[in-house]
Amino acid sequence: MELKKLIVKNFRNFGNVEIQLTNQNVIFGMNDVGKTNLLYALRFLLDRQIRKDGFRDSDFFQKDTNLEIEITLEIDLSNNENKDSQHVISKVRGSRKQQDLEKFYIQVKGIYDESEYFGAPTLYWGSVFEELEEVPQTGLISDLDRLFKVVYIDPIINLENTFSRNRKKLFDQRR
């Protein structure tokens, strides 16, 4: 499995941005250019703990709640000998179409509900970008949440102690 591209639309300071990725990325820049917002977009897509509270009005580009937030991650599954690729392929079942078995997209969309004062996130996935399917969900946990385990480590804590405490979680290869 290889990360290929992140597309962020109408999220915080991003009107429409497309970022080419690899499995090792470095993000740097001046203060207040959106580094944290970019990482938050990725976390919103893959981390149930972030997604569960929905999109706030401040999450919409220029606070325009008439816009739809759309965050999409493209991954490459062509190396089906890779354990991560095999794991993804086994979990997404029929969401892959014969037209393009090498690509896979994961997407979250949010439309603001004025009566509820938040935007409910809806997850989609599939191998054909124009035909993404809603991710199956049981209660508050989606099939995507069973696929990815996001561990967020706050940068202001003692990193060495936290790493030592979470080493097994971070490097556990059993799925």
Side-chain angles (χ1 to χ4, degrees), residues 16 18 37 46 61 65 74 78 84 89 98-99 104 115 126 129 131 134 144 155 157 161 173:
N16 188 355
E18 185 173 304
N37 288 344
L46 300 175
F61 181 64
T65 56
E74 178 185 328
S78 61
D84 289 332
I89 290 167
Q98 288 297 326
Q99 303 97 296
F104 197 75
S115 66
F129 185 73
E131 301 174 17
E134 194 165 336
L144 180 64
I157 51 99
N161 288 346
Q173 294 299 310

Side-chain angles (χ1 to χ4, degrees), residues 7 21 53 64 73 91 97 118 140 143 152:
I7 304 167
L21 299 172
D53 294 329
D64 185 349
L73 178 65
K91 296 291 184 186
K97 306 287 186 230
F118 85 108
L140 297 174
D143 283 1
Y152 176 74

